[in-house]
Amino acid sequence: MRTAVVVGAGIGGLAVAGALARSGWQVTVLERDDRVRAERTALILWPNAMRALDALGLAGGLDAIATPLPDSGVRRPDGQWLVQPRGVVGRGPVIVHREDLYDALVAGLGDRVEIRTGVTVRGVRADERERPAVSDGRTTYEGDVVVAADGIDSAVRRRLAPESTVVSSGCAAWRAVIPWYRVPPLNEGRPVVGETLGAGYRFVAAQLGQRGSSGGSTRGGVYWVATAAGAPRPEPPATQLALLRRWFAKWHPPIGDLLAATEPDDLVQQEVRELRPLPREYGFPAGPGGFALLGDAAHAMPHHLGQGACLALEDAATLGSVLRDAVPGGQVREAIAAYSRQRRPRAATVVRQTRRMSAVLQARGRLALRARDAALGTISPRLMGSAATAAAAWKPPA
């Protein structure tokens, strides 16, 4: 029987575990936390992620948990447009609560997947003569394939690709979902959606579901993300929320209303970090198979283009495809090499676009801001359009 070990039960790890199980692999998922859980926030799925879910056989229930997003445009803190909304052509992005997406991924695992929680991987065995394996210091877990889906601080990647290091992106982000029963009346009943750029600050808000459609669930509401240049704040959530309200106090409505409706327990802070340089390979042969890097373990990047989870789903669909009919030995080793050949250039392209957008979004100082604002009307649409085109152009492997 073909066996796989997936390190990490995040979006990418759960997606690839289900994909392998559905093609006959026996899969063990190792999760460091005491249970599989998602952040109480949301994420945007672009068309490439939805195609990946289609390929994974998981798109059937997406309509029930996802909300289409209209084009938001970009505004200045005073409300003036930097980039006017242009409408969505074709299949546009959707927003989904992370807990809903996790539920869908777990439901698709099947009985060939075993999840072991409370396992922190500390050792990696990558030997040409033995099956690939990882260990927590007490137990060794081996398989024909080991998938490193254990995030930006991946212990597996540190062993296999030590040239790739984690660095700060120079900013921190805060996320929250305000449940419907606390959302104030906004925009005269129109959907809440928008992006605003300031001096080293950014605020994005989107409507999650339709008011009253969640049957009393707190998973519907308004999702927002605030980004600020600098390091994460060490203060407790209540103090962090007070700082956010001060930083965005003079920004256009409904930003102040949304922050006023947010409670400290809603807040999730994240230090924005990335990998520099990217690993030179995403596949590493060992024994009858090898290792594959997936998701943030392979290509962690700033969140400015919203492609982190989308690329992880692409990875999962691609790895599941190349391994579907492969048997341990030469076929699995070649499948892992094919995965690396397909995914490394794709990830490098999106990371490069994200870093260009990061430089635009984090402009600070009067002259830099004036140049940024003057250029956004032409540069940003081209840059965003290029990223959107690259995302939309991806198709799962045959």
Side-chain angles (χ1 to χ4, degrees), residues 46-47 68-74 81 83-93 193 381 384-385 388-389:
W46 293 86
L69 284 183
D71 180 29
S72 62
V74 183
W81 289 105
V83 181
Q84 289 274 358
R86 298 179 304 279
V88 175
V89 178
R91 192 177 194 182
V193 62
M384 291 180 176
T389 298

Side-chain angles (χ1 to χ4, degrees), residues 41-135:
T41 61
L43 75 160
I44 294 173
L45 297 178
W46 293 86
N48 52 320
M50 291 186 280
R51 288 195 183 96
L53 287 170
D54 285 338
L56 290 164
L58 297 172
L62 190 61
D63 289 344
I65 62 174
T67 306
L69 284 183
D71 180 29
S72 62
V74 183
R75 290 194 279 182
R76 291 176 19 164
D78 62 6
Q80 293 185 5
W81 289 105
L82 289 169
V83 181
Q84 289 274 358
R86 298 179 304 279
V88 175
V89 178
R91 192 177 194 182
V94 300
I95 183 171
V96 60
H97 200 289
R98 285 179 179 268
E99 291 179 333
D100 288 332
L101 183 58
Y102 266 61
D103 288 348
L105 293 173
V106 170
L109 291 178
D111 57 6
R112 289 180 176 270
V113 178
E114 177 189 9
I115 298 178
R116 299 192 181 187
T117 58
V119 178
T120 299
V121 169
R122 294 185 171 88
V124 178
R125 186 180 75 200
D127 192 310
E128 281 293 317
R129 297 165 298 179
E130 298 183 272
R131 299 171 82 205
V134 294
S135 170

Side-chain angles (χ1 to χ4, degrees), residues 152 157 161-169 273-279 298-300 302 351-352 354-356 358-359:
I152 188 171
R157 187 199 62 248
E163 76 280 358
S164 187
T165 58
V166 179
V167 301
S168 171
S169 298
R273 300 180 295 160
E274 59 190 281
L275 292 179
R276 285 182 181 259
L278 293 180
H299 42 64
V351 167
R352 184 166 56 250
T354 300
R355 288 174 181 167
R356 290 175 62 197
S358 182

Side-chain angles (χ1 to χ4, degrees), residues 46 74 107 151 170 179 198 200-201 214 220 233 269 284 298 306 312 338 348 355 382 386 392:
W46 293 86
V74 183
Y201 295 85
S214 56
R233 304 296 305 196
Q269 181 184 211
F284 302 84
R355 288 174 181 167
R382 291 203 307 270
S386 176

Side-chain angles (χ1 to χ4, degrees), residues 231-292:
R233 304 296 305 196
E235 299 90 349
T239 305
Q240 294 176 29
L241 185 55
L243 286 170
L244 289 168
R245 289 169 177 165
R246 185 197 312 167
W247 292 341
F248 294 95
K250 296 183 179 179
W251 287 39
H252 66 80
I255 293 173
D257 296 324
L258 293 176
L259 290 171
T262 304
E263 295 183 353
D265 287 346
D266 301 328
L267 208 59
V268 177
Q269 181 184 211
Q270 174 194 6
E271 179 184 9
V272 182
R273 300 180 295 160
E274 59 190 281
L275 292 179
R276 285 182 181 259
L278 293 180
R280 289 189 289 268
E281 301 288 341
Y282 287 167
F284 302 84
F291 295 83

